[in-house]
Amino acid sequence: MKLAVVGHVEWVDFVAVDRLPAPGEIVAARDAWEAPAGGGAMAATALRALTGAASFFCAVGRDWRGFATLEALRGTGLEVLAGMRGDRDQRRTLTYLTADGERTITLLGPPLAPCGDDDLPWSALEDCDGVLFFAGDAAAARACRAAKVMVSTGRARAALVEAGVQVDALVGSVDDADEAVDEELLLAARPTWVVATESERGGAWWAPGGEGIAGRWAATPLPGAPVDAFGCGDAFAAALMAG
C-alpha cells in the first residue's frame, strides 16, 4: 500500500517528572530529552512501523530545530516531504510526562502546518491508497481527497469546513475538546463513518447516513502498568486509516 500522513510536526522538549509542579513549586526531572513529535509526526511514525513505509507531508521552520526535525524523522525511514518556511522558526512544545503515564503539553509559538502553496508534490497523493489528514489549509485538504481513502481527525476542523471535501472516516474524541465531532463538522465533512475514542473506555463508531448502523468497542487491557500515553490517539488514527 502507498500511505501518507499530512499534518504538523513540532520540536518537543520532553520532561519526565513524578508529578506536575504546584504553582510556585520547583520539581526535579527524572529525565529530559528533545525530539520531533506532534500529532502528524507521531501518526506517520506509527504508520511506518505498522506497514513498513509511509510518506509524511509537513512544514518546518528554517532554523536549526527545523533542520534537526527533518534529519531525525528521515533517520527513522520515513519519506518526509516538507515545506520550508523561511520567515518562521520551528514550532516547539514543552511536554511533561508524569509517572501515571499522562502527558501535559504547553505550545510555544503559532501553528505550523502544510499549505497548498507550499512547494510540495501534492499530486503524488492521487496515487495513494490512503491519506490521514491532521493539519493543513483547505487546499491541502482538497489534495488529500484525491487519494482512494481519506481519513481525517477532528483537529483539522477549520480546513475541512472551508474545503467542503467529503471524508471516508472522521476520527474524534469524546474526552478532547479539540477533537470533538459536532454538527458543523459533520455537515462540512459528510463522513461515511465517524469513530469517537473514549480513552480507556474504548469508543464508538457509526454511519451518519445509515440509521442504526453503529457499534462500540472495548479497549484492549494493557499488558502491564501504563508507561506513556503520548501519541496513542495519533497511532490509533493511523492504524484505522491503514485498516
Side-chain angles (χ1 to χ4, degrees):
M1 293 186 295
K2 293 185 64 175
L3 303 173
V5 175
V6 176
H8 59 296
V9 58
E10 294 143 353
W11 187 258
V12 182
D13 289 283
F14 291 99
V15 181
V17 294
D18 291 329
R19 58 177 177 79
L20 295 177
E25 183 184 17
I26 297 174
V27 298
R30 290 183 280 105
D31 197 5
W33 64 95
E34 300 174 63
M42 297 297 289
T45 301
L47 191 62
R48 181 190 173 277
L50 182 68
T51 67
S55 299
F56 180 38
F57 286 65
C58 62
V60 297
R62 196 180 290 275
D63 61 349
W64 74 264
R65 290 186 180 89
F67 287 105
T69 293
L70 295 180
E71 182 179 6
L73 289 178
R74 287 170 177 160
T76 68
L78 270 177
E79 180 188 30
V80 182
L81 306 160
M84 300 293 297
R85 302 290 174 80
D87 59 340
R88 291 281 305 277
D89 289 339
Q90 180 62 30
R91 194 188 202 193
R92 300 167 56 205
T93 72
L94 172 63
T95 299
Y96 278 106
L97 301 174
T98 45
D100 60 359
E102 268 302 340
R103 84 288 184 264
T104 304
I105 300 173
T106 300
L107 301 173
L108 306 175
L112 189 58
C115 298
D117 58 3
D118 283 327
D119 186 18
L120 291 170
W122 291 112
S123 60
L125 296 178
E126 298 174 8
D127 298 323
C128 282
D129 297 293
V131 173
L132 175 59
F133 185 50
F134 259 92
D137 65 357
R142 295 187 188 103
C144 290
R145 183 57 277 179
K148 293 178 183 176
V149 170
M150 179 183 177
V151 176
S152 180
T153 74
R155 298 186 201 180
R157 166 187 296 274
L160 292 175
V161 170
E162 182 179 350
V165 296
Q166 183 175 15
V167 302
D168 296 288
L170 183 63
V171 183
S173 170
V174 172
D175 298 326
D176 189 340
D178 291 335
E179 298 182 28
V181 176
D182 58 21
E183 195 64 28
E184 179 190 35
L185 189 53
L186 289 175
L187 288 173
R190 308 183 307 283
T192 304
W193 302 102
V194 176
V195 180
T197 63
E198 300 176 22
S199 191
E200 73 277 0
R201 301 183 301 280
W205 57 268
W206 65 93
E211 186 175 350
I213 302 177
R216 291 191 56 83
W217 77 89
T220 301
L222 293 176
V227 176
D228 181 2
F230 191 84
C232 285
D234 308 322
F236 173 87
L240 178 72
M241 184 273 285

